[in-house]
Amino acid sequence: MIIQPRTRGFICLTSHPEGCAENVRKQIEYVKSKGLINNGPKKVLVIGASTGFGLASRISAAFGSNAATIGVFFEKPGTEGRPGTAGWYNSAAFEKEAHAAGLYAKSINGDAFSDEIKKEAIDLIKKDLGQIDLVVYSLASPRRTHPKSGENFASVLKPIGEPFSNKTVDFHTGVVSDITINPVTEQSDIDNTIAVMGGEDWKFWIEDLKAAGVLAQGCKTVAYSYIGPELTYPIYRNGTIGMAKNDLEGTVPYLNELLGDLNGVSYVSVNKALVTQSSSAIPVVPLYISLLYKVMKEKGIHEGCVEQMQRLFADRLYADNVVLDSEGRIRVDDLEMREDVQAEVAELWDKVTTENIESISDLAGYRRDFFNLFGFEFDNIDYNVESDELTSVESIK
């Protein structure tokens, strides 16, 4: 079928197999260009491996360290006349490239919150790898079914205490407008968001992997967080999502104790603001990212997902000395949060309007990155040619 982008709000309803493959190839080329990571991981489980930071982590491990990787994700394959999700096509392309390079790569498609998928992953590790030395936790989901109680939780994106008013942008049209988001009215909204996006499931994964004996001596595990600038604090860091991130970060001491007898260690990495399917859904953030991209590109310090993850692996996780902030976190948002960068973004924020946004921001770059997520707007792909919507992931039968 011929596949063109169809959007609804911050969601792209279609994805392009060859375009997604091109997105994966470009990331692989970047990682390979940086050379091998000294003392990098060799057997890796990535939970949430199909898009964004999780996909970039899998690529960084495989092509930066020749690691065997198992990826867990929840994606939809294509059916006759209906494209699959971008994450499905990304994973198909990754496996194809990994296998061509002689690398072990297998994938599991299902609900990573469930005990069944945890057991499937453990069984596969036992069968094929024996033990793993890195667990990347990069799940991004709006809802979760608790594996023990069966209770269903849905996260909400809201401030806490006071309404939040600020500028936002429709990144499709470039219209800048004011938005007000009312705060949560029920404690349960905060609790539910923590249940979905907090640290409990990461803890369950590491507990189950350790109990099964599939974690190697000296193993590492890392999960991802975000802080951002003060202007986004009410909707992000001090809002419901921020409470979940606090819970995620608060899981580290428990996991470090759990992994102590293996000489293992857990980290939270605070990453840069980037165009992902999740970040596109957060009001204010697309406008902030558009301005941030403009400033960072002009300074020559812009990074995308794969640049962030390659640097995380090479310069942080597997460095001789892992540098942490005062809260015990790895920071690869250090370039974003530089004082000169934030000062220039704040200045542009005060000036930005519908009339000048195209000239004083990188909204065009934001749009391109958004569509790239779904395999669109790559110059070397002919989108008027029929594409195979039934593209499969080699290890998933």
Side-chain angles (χ1 to χ4, degrees):
M1 63 181 292
I2 292 174
I3 304 174
Q4 299 287 346
R6 288 194 301 113
T7 61
R8 184 176 66 226
F10 56 83
I11 298 171
C12 190
L13 303 172
T14 51
S15 56
H16 196 278
E18 286 78 17
C20 288
E22 177 63 13
N23 188 15
V24 169
R25 278 194 297 270
K26 286 169 73 76
Q27 293 186 57
I28 290 171
E29 287 170 8
Y30 175 80
V31 170
K32 289 169 71 174
S33 77
K34 302 297 286 185
L36 287 178
I37 297 165
N38 290 330
N39 302 312
K42 294 304 176 190
K43 297 178 181 180
V44 180
L45 173 66
V46 183
I47 303 156
S50 54
T51 61
F53 287 122
L55 174 64
S57 299
R58 193 177 190 186
I59 290 169
S60 295
F63 290 92
S65 193
N66 293 323
T69 62
I70 293 173
V72 179
F73 47 77
F74 201 8
E75 301 289 352
K76 289 183 181 178
T79 55
E80 196 75 43
R82 188 183 183 92
T85 54
W88 179 266
Y89 294 139
N90 290 339
S91 302
F94 170 82
E95 279 203 14
K96 186 176 180 179
E97 295 284 345
H99 296 158
L103 296 170
Y104 173 97
K106 289 189 178 180
S107 303
I108 296 170
N109 190 32
D111 179 7
F113 293 130
S114 71
D115 287 340
E116 291 76 16
I117 292 299
K118 291 179 176 70
K119 182 178 185 304
E120 188 175 338
I122 288 166
D123 290 345
L124 183 58
I125 293 166
K126 285 182 175 179
K127 173 175 172 286
D128 288 0
L129 303 181
Q131 292 184 320
I132 51 175
D133 54 24
L134 174 64
V135 181
V136 175
Y137 188 84
S138 185
L139 277 191
S141 173
R143 55 189 61 85
R144 173 187 179 214
T145 298
H146 198 282
K148 316 301 180 189
S149 69
E151 190 174 355
N152 293 313
F153 300 103
S155 62
V156 297
L157 174 65
K158 290 186 177 181
I160 296 171
E162 300 291 332
F164 172 59
S165 298
N166 214 316
K167 297 176 182 177
T168 192
V169 66
D170 181 327
F171 62 86
H172 295 298
T173 64
V175 173
V176 177
S177 60
D178 293 324
I179 188 171
T180 296
I181 305 167
N182 290 321
V184 291
T185 56
E186 304 286 341
Q187 178 64 36
S188 60
D189 284 340
I190 300 172
D191 295 340
N192 289 349
T193 304
I194 292 171
V196 176
M197 303 174 69
E200 185 181 52
D201 186 62
W202 185 23
K203 181 182 77 168
F204 285 169
W205 268 100
I206 302 304
E207 287 175 340
D208 287 1
L209 291 165
K210 188 188 179 198
V214 297
L215 294 179
Q217 281 287 327
C219 64
K220 300 176 190 281
T221 181
V222 62
Y224 299 138
S225 190
Y226 180 65
I227 295 176
E230 289 188 15
L231 73 88
T232 66
Y233 276 11
I235 190 60
Y236 197 93
R237 197 66 205 190
N238 293 339
T240 52
I241 292 182
M243 297 305 100
K245 293 301 184 183
N246 288 343
D247 186 80
L248 180 78
E249 294 168 16
T251 306
V252 166
Y254 171 84
L255 294 181
N256 284 340
E257 186 174 339
L258 180 69
L259 297 172
D261 60 337
L262 296 174
N263 293 314
V265 64
S266 68
Y267 298 107
V268 163
S269 174
V270 179
N271 302 337
K272 172 187 181 235
L274 287 168
V275 182
T276 64
Q277 294 183 42
S278 301
S279 68
S280 299
I282 305 173
V284 180
V285 169
L287 180 58
Y288 167 72
I289 292 177
S290 299
L291 298 171
L292 178 72
Y293 273 25
K294 176 80 167 179
V295 173
M296 294 189 76
K297 286 179 180 179
E298 287 179 349
K299 292 179 180 293
I301 56 172
H302 172 70
E303 293 174 316
C305 278
V306 76
E307 290 86 359
Q308 279 265 286
M309 294 300 96
Q310 193 280 333
R311 184 159 71 94
L312 169 66
F313 277 50
D315 298 348
R316 301 292 197 276
L317 274 181
Y318 292 95
D320 292 337
N321 179 33
V322 182
V323 177
L324 304 176
D325 71 4
S326 60
E327 301 296 321
R329 303 170 294 205
I330 293 174
R331 301 295 293 267
V332 285
D333 66 339
D334 48 346
L335 302 178
E336 172 188 356
M337 299 312 296
R338 263 177 32 180
E339 285 187 16
D340 60 322
V341 171
Q342 286 301 314
E344 290 185 36
V345 171
E347 187 178 337
L348 292 172
W349 185 271
D350 290 338
K351 295 177 181 176
V352 68
T353 64
T354 302
E355 290 69 33
N356 66 19
I357 187 169
E358 296 288 356
S359 61
I360 74 167
S361 82
D362 187 30
L363 188 61
Y366 185 101
R367 288 194 196 104
R368 185 170 56 252
D369 279 8
F370 174 81
F371 283 107
N372 282 175
L373 293 175
F374 302 92
F376 297 109
E377 295 197 11
F378 287 103
D379 293 339
N380 58 339
I381 302 290
D382 186 347
Y383 294 101
N384 294 312
V385 172
E386 286 193 350
S387 185
D388 181 10
E389 73 272 26
L390 301 179
T391 296
S392 61
V393 177
E394 290 179 8
S395 70
I396 299 177
K397 307 303 180 188

